Amino acid sequence: MSFFHSIEGKLDKIYDNFVVVSLDFFSFRIILGEKDLILLGNNIGQKVKIYISESIDKEEIKIFGFLDENKRDLFEDLKRIKGVGEKIALRIVNYFSPEEFNEILENEDIN
């Protein structure tokens, strides 16, 4: 479970795999999946809300973002599975909706 729930601020920039969202005195670098980056493409300068999940280790602090709260929750669940790191979890969440992923699990369709 994340300490933070979401961030709401002005979308300043979009890069290859992250965005910069500014609050009054702070700007945050938030890593997003490709689909969410595309959806945000026309919103530079606009107010956006991104659901976030943070990752803190010895080397760095990363913030992962999602336009959908359920995708953020699935990402957090996937990260808890042994052998599934942040990169794999982000790819899964980028490719499948939570509903599609649950259907795959229910049908045991792992091919």
Side-chain angles (χ1 to χ4, degrees):
M1 181 173 175
S2 282
F3 180 73
F4 298 104
H5 179 67
S6 63
I7 186 169
E8 202 167 331
K10 184 178 85 165
L11 180 62
D12 279 344
K13 294 189 181 196
I14 299 176
Y15 293 92
D16 288 342
N17 66 339
F18 68 92
V19 297
V20 175
V21 175
S22 294
L23 304 178
D24 289 334
F25 299 104
F26 296 99
S27 293
F28 293 89
R29 179 183 289 190
I30 304 171
I31 301 165
L32 279 88
E34 185 178 337
K35 287 182 181 179
D36 284 346
L37 287 167
I38 290 169
L39 288 172
L40 286 174
N42 294 326
N43 291 308
I44 292 178
Q46 303 294 316
K47 185 176 180 181
V48 295
K49 182 174 185 175
I50 300 175
Y51 297 93
I52 57 175
S53 174
E54 69 280 351
S55 173
I56 302 169
D57 63 27
K58 296 176 192 174
E59 305 291 319
E60 63 187 336
I61 298 172
K62 296 181 208 169
I63 301 173
F64 294 88
F66 307 89
L67 298 181
D68 180 273
E69 186 175 3
N70 292 323
K71 284 190 169 198
R72 190 269 322 267
D73 294 345
L74 175 58
F75 174 79
E76 290 182 348
D77 289 342
L78 290 168
K79 283 192 323 182
R80 288 189 211 109
I81 298 171
K82 186 176 181 173
V84 177
E86 297 157 346
K87 289 181 183 179
I88 292 173
L90 188 60
R91 283 189 196 133
I92 291 170
V93 171
N94 184 61
Y95 192 77
F96 298 106
S97 71
E99 296 79 19
E100 290 170 327
F101 189 76
N102 287 332
E103 186 176 318
I104 289 167
L105 293 178
E106 288 173 7
N107 295 329
E108 297 181 21
D109 182 13
I110 56 173
N111 293 323

